[in-house]
Amino acid sequence: MKMKFSHQIQFNAVPDWADYYLPYSNLKKLIYSIEKEKVTKKDLTCSDLEDAVPTERTALIPENPIEVDNQQFIEALNKSLDKIVKFYAKKETELYDEMEELIGDFEGLDKPELLKAATRRLSSGVAAAEHQGESDDEDHHQGGQVRSNTNQLPRRESTVEGDSFLPANIISKNVAETDPEQNRVPLLQRTGSLKMVSAWPRESIDDVVELKKRTVDLFVLLSELKSFVALNTTAFAKILKKYDKITNNNLKRYYTSTHVGKAYPFLQATKTRLNERIQQTERAYAILATDNNLDFAIEELKTHLREHIVWERNTVWRDLIGQERKTQTVGLSDAKPSSIYTPFGTVRVTRDQVLNYLFMIACVAVFIVLLRVEIFDTVEQNRCLAILVFASMLWAGEVMPLFVTALLVPFLIITLRVMRSDDGNFTRLDAPAATKRVFGAMFSPVIMLLLGGFAIAGALSKFGIAKSMATFVLSKAGTRPNKVLIVNMLVATFASMWISNVAAPVLCFSLIQPILRTLPVDSRFGPCLIIGIALASNLGGMASPISSPQNIIAIQNMDPAPSWGEWFIISIPLCIMGNLIIWLWLLWNYNPEKQTPHIHTIRASTDPITGTQIYVILVTLTTIALWCLAHTYESVFGDMGVIAILPLIAFFGTGLLTKDDFNNFLWNVIMLAMGGIALGKAVESSGLLNTIASKIEELVVGFSAFEVLFVFSCLVLVIATFISHTVAALIVLPIVAEVGSQLADPQPRMLVMGTAFVCSAAMGLPVSGFPNMNAISQENELGKPYLTTKDFILNGVPSSIFAMLCIATVGYGLMALIGF
């Protein structure tokens, strides 16, 4: 089956340059639109048809008939051609400047005597290429003939000329399922390279290895630039041919000769100069790596290029699958269903479905038993416990989507009447009154904060700002997964410090998309990176007074309130220590470098900043600044959720984000958050949490401050794992403050701050905090979630315990040190 050219151009294009190729599909739609308009006009004005037929005298009229008859299509082609020319010129300048820098660094090496002559030839080749390029440019501007010296070039795998649909640098059609970096033999382990390295002075070996890497990268980019020209040449030829065929015109020959052929990227002189630059990288690599053996150097460079193309094709293939899945709601599963014959027909079920049904039956049985057992004094508390356990089991077992369980929570709360009035009489509310209370609580300022975070993340992603930020950070982080993981975790914690741990993971997950989309489908680094960001964002919830709601609640229960400096003295060491411990745990549990020793090299983006990007950045920074000052201007804004409305208005009101962008928000996360808020409200209103906390208060009377902190840390860690961190803080922190004030050595501030920190450290389940809810919703292009509840139990629970122990020991020491 022959692939359509619209798919060929997607499949063979350089992914990062996808926006600069000829928009073949859009132009094809325009062709059919033009033909439809032409047919419609003919039907409406049949009487004028004879006047529209060209005659022998048509070519004698002053205006160009081809330009007039095909004006609409030519304008569209000109617009695309102009974009191609500008991009090529910018990319050519960038790569040629990089090559000059490479040659300069190369000449500064302490070279063996045998290679000095080859180096002189390389340097003279660069100068000759510069001189030739200048001469060619002058000849072009003067309208003279450009001399082609392609007959002097060494053999190449292909040329950019011709009408083949494949780009010039496509060498293999093989598409592998694994990262080519994983199977790549390091240059220093190859025979020629070993021999070559041994020829260099010992003090120059590190510089030689770095130059070889830069030479390979430059060769790949120059080859991709060559294929960019070839693919666009073919695209112009094919779209013009289709236009002529459908509209019965003869535009192809005219437009190719007068526009495409005279455009800078398609000039023979430009192609020749690009070929010469590619040859220079081959000669440089030969000197650096293969003992000046040019044939061997070309073969090694071809291998690198082939591996790079395979990796890129894997990336594009997964992108295309992802787009198709979003359009058609396609789901891919490896499970094979079994047939069960019943009197009503054949039912096909998988093993996972059977296990889910059995677990669902067990959950319902536990729920019914808890409804009938009287553990507490009031019916509201008993029923609320049943709902809490039932929802927790469903969330833990994932027998249904998490957001569906979240929707079940308010239904059970209202129908089982677990809500009580807050007027001091604590009377049981009927269904209408409970409905108003529950749904009023579900749409809280936190939900608006999530929506504002999604709007900022959407704008940063749509206009390439997130990609630029990610490529800059990751280009500094290197290619080793272990290093990239800790860098992203620290970025998530730092972001949580200033924009809250609700909005920060939304931004951070958008920043790592360039990494996720280039990983092999079964790579363990993807889940490791996502859960690392989620756990780091949870830790970031303790980093500053404004990073999470529970910190504000803690400050309200501390007299006097701590200063920002005092807070940072305690929180920053704990965050750094917690991140390092979690990082080491994730490395031990996932061992990402065993399967993916290197992620693909990511180059920092060099695209110029646009006015739209400046506007998006200004809105984002303004929102973040207002979030930081929300407590100061509480009398004006009321809550951070109100400030989150500003980016929604700024982006959607100006048309930068559209209705489709709004529909693409993670509404499953919104529903999950609403369900968690409703459950927390029910646990609070029914008196269940207050009863449990009061029982513990009686048990800890007479304990030391350290022992009380440890006991309440364990209690809060369990509670906040299942319900909202904020709700746990609302209920427990006043009790902690009261217990702390009754100690022989009263230390209520220490106990309140330590317990508030533990609220942020509770991260053992997907519903344990908003970062985890965001993380569990992340899917790859095939619709498969990166994480499951098992990942959180294996990593979140130990991380929570480690963080809690740090707070109860190191945190206790730091708070005692500053006099809390």
Side-chain angles (χ1 to χ4, degrees), residues 80 236 389 442 543 783:
S80 300
F236 273 111
V389 173
M442 286 175 67

Side-chain angles (χ1 to χ4, degrees), residues 182-390:
Q182 181 177 338
N183 299 320
R184 180 175 296 176
V185 179
L187 291 174
L188 290 178
Q189 295 179 13
R190 296 179 179 175
T191 306
S193 298
L194 274 172
K195 180 180 179 182
M196 192 60 228
V197 168
S198 63
W200 290 89
R202 183 178 299 274
E203 60 272 12
S204 300
I205 288 179
D206 290 341
D207 294 333
V208 170
V209 172
E210 177 62 25
L211 282 176
K212 281 196 294 184
K213 182 177 181 300
R214 289 169 57 190
T215 304
V216 170
D217 291 343
L218 188 59
F219 174 81
V220 169
L221 287 170
L222 289 170
S223 299
E224 287 185 326
L225 192 61
K226 181 178 177 180
S227 81
F228 176 79
V229 176
L231 195 54
N232 277 303
T233 301
T234 305
F236 273 111
K238 287 192 171 290
I239 199 66
L240 286 165
K241 182 179 178 181
K242 181 171 286 291
Y243 179 80
D244 288 347
K245 180 180 179 181
I246 292 177
T247 63
N248 195 25
N249 275 290
N250 189 23
L251 180 63
K252 179 180 178 181
R253 182 177 300 177
Y254 167 79
Y255 191 85
T256 302
S257 60
T258 59
H259 292 75
V260 178
K262 294 182 179 180
Y264 177 73
F266 306 101
L267 294 173
Q268 185 59 46
T270 305
K271 298 176 183 179
T272 300
R273 188 156 56 247
L274 179 57
N275 273 330
E276 289 171 348
R277 294 288 179 164
I278 294 175
Q279 293 162 39
Q280 288 162 20
T281 60
E282 292 170 348
R283 289 195 290 270
Y285 189 81
I287 295 171
L288 287 167
T290 63
D291 201 14
N292 207 23
N293 186 325
L294 185 59
D295 287 337
F296 190 24
I298 291 174
E299 287 305 313
E300 280 202 8
L301 288 172
K302 281 184 178 181
T303 301
H304 283 289
L305 182 58
R306 184 181 298 108
E307 291 169 348
H308 183 82
I309 292 167
V310 167
W311 170 79
E312 281 192 338
R313 283 190 164 185
N314 270 333
T315 301
V316 175
W317 173 76
R318 292 210 301 274
D319 285 348
L320 293 175
I321 291 292
Q323 293 171 11
E324 184 70 14
R325 184 184 66 83
K326 290 177 181 178
T327 303
Q328 305 294 338
T329 317
V330 176
L332 300 182
S333 174
D334 296 329
K336 295 182 179 179
S338 302
S339 298
I340 299 177
Y341 299 98
T342 68
F344 305 100
T346 303
V347 179
R348 297 177 65 83
V349 294
T350 63
R351 179 175 177 272
D352 290 340
Q353 288 175 327
V354 172
L355 293 177
N356 283 343
Y357 296 148
L358 293 176
F359 189 79
M360 173 65 83
I361 294 171
C363 292
V364 172
V366 171
F367 179 58
I368 294 173
V369 170
L370 288 175
L371 285 177
R372 295 182 176 275
V373 175
E374 295 185 3
I375 301 176
F376 300 100
D377 296 334
T378 65
V379 65
E380 296 91 351
Q381 293 182 30
N382 285 312
R383 292 187 176 184
C384 189
L385 177 65
I387 295 172
L388 177 62
V389 173
F390 183 50

Side-chain angles (χ1 to χ4, degrees), residues 549-605:
Q550 54 265 29
N551 294 352
I552 303 298
I553 299 168
I555 292 173
Q556 292 171 352
N557 285 277
M558 297 172 71
D559 187 21
S563 66
W564 279 60
E566 290 174 330
W567 194 285
F568 286 150
I569 289 173
I570 303 167
S571 65
I572 291 179
L574 289 176
C575 288
I576 294 174
M577 184 180 300
N579 271 307
L580 291 176
I581 293 173
I582 294 173
W583 176 62
L584 293 174
W585 176 266
L586 293 176
L587 294 185
W588 178 81
N589 200 13
Y590 284 98
N591 194 9
E593 290 196 358
K594 180 179 180 181
Q595 185 188 29
T596 310
H598 297 280
I599 63 172
H600 195 272
T601 304
I602 295 180
R603 299 166 61 91
S605 175

Side-chain angles (χ1 to χ4, degrees), residues 38-85:
K38 185 181 294 186
V39 171
T40 303
K41 288 180 181 179
K42 285 182 179 181
D43 292 340
L44 294 175
T45 58
C46 292
S47 59
D48 297 331
L49 187 59
E50 292 183 2
D51 296 335
V53 176
T55 66
E56 294 178 294
R57 298 174 60 85
T58 301
L60 300 177
I61 62 177
E63 295 181 351
N64 189 331
I66 297 180
E67 293 279 355
V68 173
D69 294 343
N70 306 284
Q71 181 180 2
Q72 185 178 359
F73 191 65
I74 288 177
E75 286 177 355
L77 288 175
N78 287 342
K79 183 178 179 181
S80 300
L81 181 61
D82 184 59
K83 184 168 71 170
I84 291 170
V85 170

Side-chain angles (χ1 to χ4, degrees), residues 62 106 120 124 206 265 275 349 379 415 518 623 705 726 733 795 820:
F106 178 79
R120 286 193 294 272
S124 62
D206 290 341
N275 273 330
V349 294
V379 65
T415 56
T518 58
T623 305
T726 304
L733 291 186
N795 299 283
F820 270 32

Side-chain angles (χ1 to χ4, degrees), residues 76-149:
L77 288 175
N78 287 342
K79 183 178 179 181
S80 300
L81 181 61
D82 184 59
K83 184 168 71 170
I84 291 170
V85 170
K86 288 180 179 178
F87 173 78
Y88 181 91
K90 180 179 77 70
K91 189 59 64 174
E92 182 191 63
T93 302
E94 175 187 321
L95 295 180
Y96 288 5
D97 288 346
E98 188 172 331
M99 185 161 192
E100 294 301 322
E101 182 181 348
L102 178 68
I103 296 299
D105 293 343
F106 178 79
E107 290 177 345
L109 282 177
D110 183 14
K111 291 174 279 296
E113 197 64 34
L114 292 174
L115 297 179
K116 289 185 178 179
T119 303
R120 286 193 294 272
R121 287 197 297 273
L122 177 62
S123 301
S124 62
V126 173
E130 287 295 327
H131 177 71
Q132 178 64 31
E134 293 171 2
S135 301
D136 290 338
D137 287 341
E138 290 175 3
D139 291 343
H140 172 60
H141 289 307
Q142 295 170 4
Q145 293 292 323
V146 179
R147 180 176 61 86
S148 173
N149 62 349

